[in-house]
Amino acid sequence: MNVIDHVRDMAAAGLHSNVRILSSLLLTMSNNNPELFSPAQKYQLLVYHADAIFHDKEYRNAACKYSMALQQKKVLGKTSKVRTSTSGAAANMQAQSLPSEIEVKYKIAECYTILKLDKDAIAVLEGIPSRQRTPKINMMLANLYKKAGQERSAVTSYKEVLRQCPLALDAIIGLLSLSVKGAEVASMTMDVIQSIPNLDWLSVWVKAYAFIHAGDNQRAINTICSLEKKSLLRDNVDLLVSLADVYFRASDTKNAILKFEQAQMLDPYLIKGMDVYGYLMAREGHLEDVEVLGGRLFNISDQHAEPWVISGCHSFYSKRYSRALYLGAKAIQLNSNSVQALLLKGAALRNMGRVQEAIIHFREAMRLAPCRLDCYEGLIDCYLASNGIREAMGMANNIYKTLGANAQTLTILATVCLEDPVTQEKAKTLLDKALAQRPDYTKAVVKMAELLSREQKYEEGITLLRSALADQSDCVLHRMLGDFLVAINDYQEAMDQYSIALSLDPNDQKSLEGMQKMEKEESPTDATVELDGDDMEGSGEDGDLEGSDSEAAQWADQEQWFGIPSH
């Protein structure tokens, strides 16, 4: 047994730090005396040394050492051709015991991917002949192609993964996300479904995810529910998270939160989907719960985007936009495909007046999740904020035509129509249609109430809001009802509605302003100093932004909130 065998055994045993020290010493000896080790032994040493460096997360250094190993393999290839005639069998035996050249190339690509050098990673993997590509190489290529927008190549690679491994479910999701028909994808798994017992659910699973990626939320919900009710798949965390996410996309906040809670009760270490859950909780005004959730997730892992997004949502809904921006950027750094992180950063930029930068982030989110309406809503908000009504109208019409006339798309189009006095009547027609489909759809109720307020139809507005609040309790709806009641001089009930709104969201500034304005109107001594609602909102916002900007550098240095570990 020679020294290279000892290095190999230590590598196999996972003694990476030991391998790194010994292989470094042996490689130096080899450089000073090339006769000490054969070309094959030097190749082995370089690979084991690179593996140890990779384990230490020094990816740029590891990629360099792996490349040196491949150069050594070329030298080995030339010398082995010379020796083949004299000892062919021995040479073949030695070649089989050496680390795989294909595996080394995969490791280089892995380093490049971690370093976000996607083009270099693709170039390395494309250098492997297609017949020699293993399923994990094709899977990495497919994901890289998809990220780069090379959809046709991505589809080919995902299909190759399924040809070799027909139960690779993430490859199935990849194909469905690239608009490959559910029936075509299901046909690729049919043989394995028929040959293995208890896999009859798989074709229904494929159908569910086909509906998700086609934006057909209601059929996706029905299909996942039918799967979840089957005794063998009941309480599956992945299915529950998917179901919660589809409820969220369908703007059914109540059921989305319910399913997320169910999933995390089953798996206390769950990270996937918790960023959406944290966002919903923050939006509903449950900031204390969001704080607890963020701290818990940081204790599980600070190397995922989700806990950073959750903490960012807490900051955003506390009107600390600079902090939210920083946390969103940190999340994107950890996962550039995090849609929720892009939306958080985009919203923070928009609220800080940096609209053009916000547009870039919303567009990227839209590219990654073309069936998520909140990506489009963020972009439309930016267009409206910068007086780009034409662009907003074009986007809203495109969503309406692509995803069909449902309550959400009708409301988005109506929101843009409300910005132009010429299209006010069209907005009312669209909102009537939206509310006919879903009387409980909060965004449609809010927009209709805004329209009725402009037209001073206060009684109609009160009837609409009371009807909506009969089946749900929402801060914005209670606050708007308070505003309408003030307009008809019903101050006592208005005060009650503002109080309910603040109990649901203690940070709701507009409800607080409504109460203060009422108090000033009731007190004649304060009438002379009464502020208009818009003035109050503007002055409060500016103060928040100035304060948060001045602390941005401090936040970058101190990451102690919510138990964020310092590095």
Side-chain angles (χ1 to χ4, degrees):
M1 188 173 181
N2 61 36
V3 70
I4 308 297
D5 294 331
H6 281 284
V7 176
R8 183 196 62 217
D9 290 348
M10 284 196 295
L15 300 174
H16 304 291
S17 60
N18 300 275
V19 169
R20 182 167 183 171
I21 296 168
L22 181 57
S23 60
S24 172
L25 293 166
L26 295 174
L27 284 166
T28 303
M29 289 169 61
S30 174
N31 290 337
N32 289 324
N33 183 357
E35 301 299 318
L36 275 178
F37 301 111
S38 69
Q41 288 175 322
K42 188 168 182 183
Y43 168 66
Q44 285 177 288
L45 273 176
L46 283 164
V47 173
Y48 297 140
H49 186 58
D51 284 343
I53 293 169
F54 182 90
H55 185 266
D56 285 341
K57 299 181 180 179
E58 297 175 27
Y59 301 113
R60 205 172 291 275
N61 187 8
C64 175
K65 296 300 188 290
Y66 282 127
S67 297
M68 288 169 65
L70 290 180
Q71 289 299 318
Q72 181 63 30
K73 188 72 166 61
K74 287 180 183 176
V75 174
L76 176 59
K78 290 173 185 174
T79 55
S80 63
K81 285 177 186 175
V82 176
R83 295 175 185 170
T84 302
S85 56
T86 54
S87 54
N92 284 336
M93 284 279 289
Q94 185 190 45
Q96 287 172 9
S97 68
L98 293 177
S100 161
E101 186 178 346
I102 292 168
E103 186 64 27
V104 172
K105 287 181 177 178
Y106 178 82
K107 282 286 191 184
I108 293 173
E110 208 171 1
C111 290
Y112 285 150
T113 303
I114 294 166
L115 294 166
K116 296 183 172 56
L117 302 171
D118 292 352
K119 287 182 181 177
D120 294 328
I122 290 171
V124 170
L125 295 176
E126 285 180 339
I128 302 169
S130 54
R131 288 184 180 180
Q132 294 179 18
R133 291 175 193 169
T134 60
K136 72 176 180 180
I137 288 170
N138 279 312
M139 190 71 189
M140 184 185 275
L141 257 179
N143 289 334
L144 287 166
Y145 282 141
K146 182 184 171 185
K147 192 176 173 185
Q150 296 174 242
E151 294 190 1
R152 188 175 295 179
S153 298
V155 166
T156 303
S157 295
Y158 280 131
K159 284 183 175 178
E160 192 56 33
V161 174
L162 281 179
R163 189 186 65 78
Q164 296 170 288
C165 302
L167 291 179
L169 301 190
D170 203 28
I172 288 175
I173 291 172
L175 281 172
L176 294 171
S177 72
L178 293 167
S179 303
V180 178
K181 297 292 183 189
E184 184 185 346
V185 177
S187 69
M188 299 176 77
T189 63
M190 203 54 68
D191 289 343
V192 74
I193 289 172
Q194 291 172 350
S195 63
I196 298 175
N198 297 319
L199 274 186
D200 53 315
W201 54 267
L202 185 55
S203 56
V204 183
W205 185 92
V206 173
K207 190 190 294 183
Y209 282 88
F211 287 140
I212 289 172
H213 290 286
D216 193 338
N217 295 325
Q218 196 51 55
R219 289 168 83 183
I221 288 166
N222 294 340
T223 310
I224 296 174
C225 284
S226 74
L227 267 178
E228 224 270 312
K229 282 172 187 171
K230 289 189 176 182
S231 57
L232 290 176
L233 291 177
R234 189 177 295 130
D235 291 340
N236 176 266
V237 172
D238 285 327
L239 275 180
L240 282 168
V241 170
S242 293
L243 184 55
D245 192 57
V246 184
Y247 274 128
F248 160 64
R249 293 180 187 209
S251 292
D252 187 344
T253 301
K254 185 179 175 182
N255 275 316
I257 288 175
L258 191 69
K259 293 300 173 184
F260 277 129
E261 285 174 349
Q262 222 176 311
Q264 70 164 353
M265 281 176 69
L266 289 165
D267 182 3
Y269 296 99
L270 177 66
I271 291 178
K272 183 183 176 184
M274 289 294 100
D275 50 350
V276 175
Y277 176 53
Y279 160 70
L280 286 174
M281 296 289 281
R283 196 179 72 184
E284 293 295 296
H286 307 306
L287 294 184
E288 287 185 12
D289 294 332
V290 175
E291 187 174 355
V292 171
L293 179 66
R296 189 166 64 76
L297 258 70
F298 273 116
N299 286 331
I300 296 168
S301 170
D302 65 341
Q303 295 304 303
H304 287 74
E306 284 85 349
W308 298 91
V309 171
I310 290 166
S311 298
C313 287
H314 183 282
S315 296
F316 182 85
Y317 283 95
S318 302
K319 293 185 169 57
R320 296 175 178 179
Y321 301 124
S322 289
R323 186 197 278 186
L325 177 62
Y326 167 71
L327 292 165
K330 185 81 175 179
I332 292 167
Q333 192 179 19
L334 289 166
N335 180 7
S336 59
N337 290 332
S338 170
V339 174
Q340 212 58 44
L342 287 162
L343 292 176
L344 169 65
K345 194 177 173 190
L349 286 165
R350 180 193 63 213
N351 282 25
M352 293 169 72
R354 293 158 64 176
V355 177
Q356 293 309 311
E357 291 174 74
I359 285 172
I360 293 167
H361 288 79
F362 286 124
R363 279 181 179 158
E364 178 61 12
M366 198 172 72
R367 186 186 72 80
L368 291 168
C371 290
R372 275 188 58 169
L373 285 171
D374 48 346
C375 302
Y376 299 92
E377 286 173 331
L379 196 53
I380 286 170
D381 284 346
C382 286
Y383 287 144
L384 294 177
S386 56
N387 295 318
I389 293 178
R390 185 180 295 178
E391 293 93 332
M393 187 63 79
M395 176 70 69
N397 275 314
N398 185 42
I399 299 164
Y400 180 76
K401 288 172 186 172
T402 308
L403 299 177
N406 57 53
Q408 293 160 281
T409 57
L410 286 161
T411 305
I412 288 171
L413 188 53
T415 301
V416 182
C417 290
L418 279 171
E419 294 297 314
D420 188 346
V422 178
T423 51
Q424 294 268 341
E425 202 54 42
K426 183 182 178 183
K428 191 173 190 309
T429 305
L430 292 165
L431 290 170
D432 281 334
K433 287 181 181 177
L435 289 168
Q437 284 189 27
R438 280 186 59 183
D440 64 334
Y441 185 43
T442 305
K443 287 182 181 177
V445 175
V446 166
K447 289 299 169 186
M448 181 62 91
E450 283 179 15
L451 184 56
L452 292 171
S453 177
R454 286 183 197 181
E455 295 174 347
Q456 298 185 355
K457 295 178 179 176
Y458 302 121
E459 295 292 349
E460 279 187 48
I462 289 168
T463 303
L464 171 74
L465 291 164
R466 286 196 197 283
S467 175
L469 285 165
D471 299 315
Q472 60 178 317
S473 193
D474 180 87
C475 169
V476 176
L477 298 184
H478 281 292
R479 184 227 300 151
M480 293 187 89
L481 181 53
D483 292 342
F484 275 89
L485 289 164
V486 168
I488 63 165
N489 302 318
D490 189 344
Y491 295 121
Q492 185 53 54
E493 197 190 345
M495 188 68 83
D496 292 342
Q497 293 299 328
Y498 289 137
S499 298
I500 295 169
L502 284 167
S503 71
L504 292 168
D505 181 3
N507 292 302
D508 186 46
Q509 192 65 27
K510 290 184 179 178
S511 293
L512 198 58
E513 288 167 2
M515 291 180 84
Q516 290 169 348
K517 191 172 181 179
M518 272 179 53
E519 288 166 1
K520 286 173 184 175
E521 284 181 355
E522 288 175 356
S523 173
T525 55
D526 293 339
T528 54
V529 292
E530 182 182 330
L531 284 173
D532 181 74
D534 292 336
D535 294 336
M536 289 177 69
E537 186 178 349
S539 62
E541 193 77 0
D542 291 343
D544 282 338
L545 283 176
E546 286 168 12
S548 58
D549 282 337
S550 66
E551 295 169 9
Q554 179 185 334
W555 291 327
D557 294 332
Q558 297 186 62
E559 297 175 356
Q560 299 304 318
W561 56 87
F562 303 123
I564 299 175
S566 56
H567 299 287

